[in-house]
Amino acid sequence: MTDDLVVMLTAFNAEYKAVHERLTDVTLHRHDRGTRFEIGTVRGTSCRVALGLTGKGPQSAAVLAERAIQEFSPAALVFVGVAGALWDTPLGDVVVATHVYAYHGGTSEDDGLKARPRVWEADHGVSQIAQHIARAGTWEPGVPPGTAVHFGAIAAGEVVHNSRLSAEARWIREHYNDAMAIEMEAAGVAQAGHLSGSPVAVVRGISDKADGTKTTAADRNWQPQAAANAAAFAVRLATELVRERKQPTMKDNTTPGTIYSTSHGQVGIHAVNVTGSTVYQNGRPPSPTTADLAVELASLREQLSHEHAGGRLDGETYDAAQVELDIAGGALESPTPEGRKTFVLALKRLGGLIADLAGLAAKVTALVSAAKGLV
């Protein structure tokens, strides 16, 4: 994982430009399949951003999101752009997704169309940081006074909505009436992040009301402003994500009962019982070896088998998880930076597959963290 880099993707050039204007020392990065990213640093910070353009629609957004995650192994992926308001959110305000609906899922039956949505929740840690930034109210002094940040569901599909009377609009009100905004790419990005184990944030500026008043002239006025507001919040979010990852922690949960102190001074432990605990002071804990990680992989494989046998992990997900474990195990046999990257990416994908199994997901996260110190 690249702790000081966040990937930001946009669908349109106006959105891309709004992010680009907040970066300095920008350099071009070419993917071997032709995709171009630009990597820059947020002004006045150490946060690096890899910026890419996906084009319109969920398919291209998903492919480019997956490609970016594989290429950069970022601390997080943020999708930035504009959206239509489904209710009365003011133009120019920012909506941060608490969860994303892929609203086109359904089944057509004799008595009508029944909704079968897919839903992705926002990463908890990312959501907490975003909420804190919004409460502080200092995320961007340059935005127009009164610009607010809202948190709620975003509906994503493949139709441009500009009506509150159409059959599609009625369908969304009936089945997704808690959605605050509607757009076309977030479902693809959320799915890519889920499968790759990468935290995803979706940040949208409201550029129209999706109510029949959307026009080319109105877009010329509101799209740049809405994109700029979304970019301002997204850049601040990226900066905070990177800053938090760089902060030293007193307790590392990789090994239960172990406390690490990297500064001079005393470490106090107050507990009724302390068993099997190790304290490292004035230094880092020992770096793991490939043998250590191989043992952890074997334990993880055994626990996955147990969850599958108990019916808590379906067959398709179990098989996909085994594939990622095989990839990770093979990568351990290659003690190179590329091998470590492959190991980390396989585990991140595994984490996305088993996100519903909190205990195992936490163990995968710990393994990813341990791989940073692989010797």
Side-chain angles (χ1 to χ4, degrees), residues 103-118:
Y103 67 81
H104 271 132
T107 176
S108 180
E109 299 180 4
D110 290 344
D111 57 347
L113 183 62
K114 308 296 178 61
R116 287 189 177 180
R118 296 200 66 182

Side-chain angles (χ1 to χ4, degrees), residues 154-192:
I154 288 180
E158 300 192 54
V159 173
V160 177
H161 282 263
N162 191 27
S163 171
R164 292 192 178 177
L165 303 176
S166 66
E168 291 79 11
R170 292 195 301 272
W171 162 262
I172 291 170
R173 283 199 303 273
E174 181 180 355
H175 297 284
Y176 308 98
N177 65 354
D178 63 333
M180 296 186 67
I182 189 162
E183 45 95 292
M184 299 178 68
E185 291 81 28
V189 175
Q191 173 71 349

Side-chain angles (χ1 to χ4, degrees), residues 132-149:
H132 177 79
I133 294 170
R135 285 195 302 270
T138 57
W139 49 277
E140 179 54 60
V143 302
T147 302
V149 181

